[in-house]
Amino acid sequence: MEQGRPHSAVSRPHTGVPAQATPSARGEHTHDESEYAYAPGARPAPRVPQRYSVRGQVLDALRKALVSGELVPGEVYSGPALGERFGVSATPVREAMQQLALEGAVEVVPNRGFRVTSRTERDHAELAEVRALLEVPALLRVARAVPAARWRELRPLAERTAAVAAEGDRAAYAEADRAFHRALLELTGNRQLVIVAEELHRRSQCPGVVTGGLAAHAAEHLRLLDALEAGDLAGAEALATRHCAGPA
């Protein structure tokens, strides 16, 4: 594949940007007044300019492409080439890529673009260890304080991960998995914990995630809730620690 060109598997996402949208300095787009044609002599209705966070939409699309493997670890992708693929300017793509660089998903290659990070088994093991050190003690502390009914309220989220896992969509599963763990940790009432844990979770999901194991990983969500509802803290601790390693 030619260096700097996007991988052919990357699909052009629907960014919601109208054809005549004009970019702002922050990568956001606002409608041009020329879009709003009306009959001669008619009084135009008041319009509130609609803003589209193109950067945010491109960032979401890139994250999904990373998790699904459409953006290949080790490959270099240029901002203009991805912008052409997405139907936007290179500016929001570069801004989104800078955010992904901060998250460790890509690295900057001067004068060429961004290389998707290749993670080793050791990298994944270290991320799993840090997640377990952060999440498991917090979960056990909550388990000693909340009633069993609270765990039952989380079952729809766990069942959602199982349904998505059955479809084999890794990007959708990554989102559902984070939503479940976020709901667990929100029971601590510690917003900073939730933010830091989710960032670690996202780092562990991409790029270069292993394939397979989604169904088994999703089933652990329900088993974890069973243990928590039954007050089996030892079982919950073992499950949660193993679960942080991700699908295998």
Side-chain angles (χ1 to χ4, degrees):
M1 185 180 76
E2 180 183 350
Q3 294 290 354
R5 297 292 298 177
H7 193 269
S8 59
V10 180
S11 59
R12 176 173 175 171
H14 173 66
T15 60
V17 183
Q20 295 179 317
T22 55
S24 71
R26 292 193 299 256
E28 294 180 331
H29 287 203
T30 59
H31 285 294
D32 187 87
E33 288 297 322
S34 62
E35 294 179 68
Y36 304 127
Y38 50 90
R43 183 176 180 180
R47 293 180 183 273
V48 178
Q50 299 180 35
R51 297 180 70 88
Y52 291 87
S53 178
V54 179
R55 174 189 176 277
Q57 294 181 43
V58 172
L59 180 58
D60 287 343
L62 288 171
R63 281 173 170 163
K64 290 177 181 178
L66 285 165
V67 173
S68 67
E70 293 175 9
L71 291 181
V72 181
E75 292 288 346
V76 176
Y77 299 88
S78 71
L82 286 175
E84 181 180 356
R85 171 78 65 172
F86 291 175
V88 299
S89 71
T91 298
V93 174
R94 291 194 182 103
E95 291 176 347
M97 280 295 200
Q98 291 291 348
Q99 176 60 39
L100 290 173
L102 291 175
E103 297 174 4
V106 301
E107 57 185 9
V108 178
V109 181
N111 302 318
R112 292 179 61 195
F114 300 85
R115 179 183 290 111
V116 178
T117 304
S118 297
R119 292 222 173 109
T120 65
E121 290 186 8
R122 177 175 178 176
D123 293 330
H124 288 293
E126 290 176 349
L127 284 167
E129 181 180 11
V130 175
R131 282 191 63 202
L133 289 171
L134 182 67
E135 294 184 35
V136 177
L139 180 62
L140 294 177
R141 185 172 68 252
V142 170
R144 296 184 178 94
V146 304
R150 295 302 299 274
W151 306 121
R152 287 194 291 272
E153 294 173 0
L154 299 183
R155 285 195 173 273
L157 288 174
E159 292 166 354
R160 167 63 180 163
T161 64
V164 174
E167 298 172 359
D169 185 335
R170 295 198 66 87
Y173 182 78
E175 293 180 6
D177 186 32
R178 288 197 308 276
F180 174 77
H181 284 269
R182 182 167 58 248
L184 281 177
L185 294 178
E186 282 175 348
L187 294 176
T188 66
N190 188 324
R191 293 172 299 173
Q192 298 305 314
L193 170 65
V194 174
I195 293 171
V196 172
E198 180 147 8
E199 179 181 348
L200 282 170
H201 196 168
R202 192 184 294 279
R203 282 174 176 263
S204 71
Q205 290 177 324
C206 68
V209 291
V210 294
T211 58
L214 294 186
H217 192 255
E220 289 180 345
H221 293 152
L222 290 167
R223 290 169 55 198
L224 177 60
L225 290 180
D226 287 340
L228 291 167
E229 189 173 343
D232 179 7
L233 298 188
E237 180 177 12
L239 266 170
T241 302
R242 182 172 65 252
H243 185 76
C244 285

